Amino acid sequence: MNMGFHQPFQISNAIIDIDNFSNYKIQKILAELSELNCKFLQFRIFKQIKPKELLSILDFLEKIKSNTIGVEILLNYNNSYTHTVIEDVFNKYKRLNILAFYSSDTESAKKISYSQYYLFKKDILKSQKGCGIIQNKFSINIKTFTEGQNCNSCLNKKISIDTNGNIKNCPSMPQSFGNIKDTTLEEALNHKDFKKYWNITKDLIDVCKDCEFRHVCTDCRAYIEKPNDIYSKPLKCGYNPYTNEWSEWSTNPLKQKAIEYYGMQELVKKDNEV
């Protein structure tokens, strides 16, 4: 079997974060991502958003004939999203794959078609600090397996816009490569440091390199156990490959300094109280 991995476009996936203070033009971002042949988009919407505003985003993707083939949207639930409204959205926008509603009273999921479904979660979608959790729910397929051996399983060919419009590898990472208001995505992509994480495979990461799941697992370089070591194990991973045991990462005493460094004390405390 050929273990090589290649994608014939500059960017394969993107994250766009939106909150109450975001004042950049989403349309500009979507148009530039289409020019870069970006195939998958994830929106993380931290503010309350009504169906009409959500539809305007999806309408623009159709209007510009975007090359995007898959869209995932994470947002906090409100009662304007009835099952009928949600299913109408999926029926109108076939490239919409997932709608994940947070802050729900119940937890459930419903499949619309082979590639479309929506779900309700009790967790609150708070901020970008909630990402990076490594779970034992692996995506096992040839693409994941081959990409994981050659590239970073999270950041490879990814570009992101944080809530302030800053262009980054991931919204949770500190380094910015300009702001979308005065910098194009292609200009950011051509920055000498933009791709420095793309080839950090699990075989190069401390502890991960000894893990049996390393080629089917996601990664996180935004939150790591040793913040000054780019090859450090993901902070939010509770698996120990030397004992084959999973544990709660946030209560591990060896991770508390890093939790404090990233300012996650309150976030972790609230999660543990649930």
Side-chain angles (χ1 to χ4, degrees), residues 27-126:
Q27 291 82 355
K28 178 180 185 291
I29 299 169
L30 297 180
E32 290 188 21
L33 285 174
S34 183
E35 288 294 322
L36 293 171
N37 287 308
C38 177
K39 299 304 177 187
F40 298 96
L41 282 176
Q42 182 187 76
F43 292 91
R44 301 190 302 190
I45 304 173
F46 304 117
K47 66 177 184 177
Q48 286 290 333
I49 182 174
K50 293 184 177 181
K52 184 177 180 181
E53 190 175 351
L54 181 64
L55 292 173
S56 69
I57 296 173
L58 295 171
D59 277 337
F60 187 78
L61 280 172
E62 298 294 330
K63 180 180 178 181
I64 64 172
K65 296 180 172 56
S66 169
N67 293 308
T68 301
I69 60 175
V71 178
E72 178 177 332
I73 300 176
L74 284 61
L75 67 164
N76 285 306
Y77 175 75
N78 65 65
N79 58 16
S80 60
Y81 290 96
T82 64
H83 288 278
T84 301
V85 168
I86 295 169
E87 292 181 16
D88 284 346
V89 172
F90 276 110
N91 289 330
K92 186 175 181 181
Y93 304 100
K94 297 302 182 183
R95 73 182 79 191
L96 177 61
N97 298 140
I98 301 170
L99 273 176
F101 293 97
Y102 289 74
S103 305
S104 174
D105 293 332
T106 59
E107 296 208 354
S108 62
K110 184 173 181 180
K111 195 170 186 178
I112 300 291
S113 66
Y114 174 76
S115 62
Q116 294 180 304
Y117 68 92
Y118 62 98
L119 55 93
F120 297 94
K121 297 176 68 69
K122 290 184 179 180
D123 299 334
I124 300 172
L125 192 62
K126 304 166 186 172

Side-chain angles (χ1 to χ4, degrees), residues 240-255:
N240 185 337
Y242 309 114
T243 62
N244 305 115
E245 294 176 323
W246 289 88
S247 61
E248 173 53 47
W249 68 271
S250 62
T251 57
N252 186 330
L254 299 178
K255 295 178 181 278

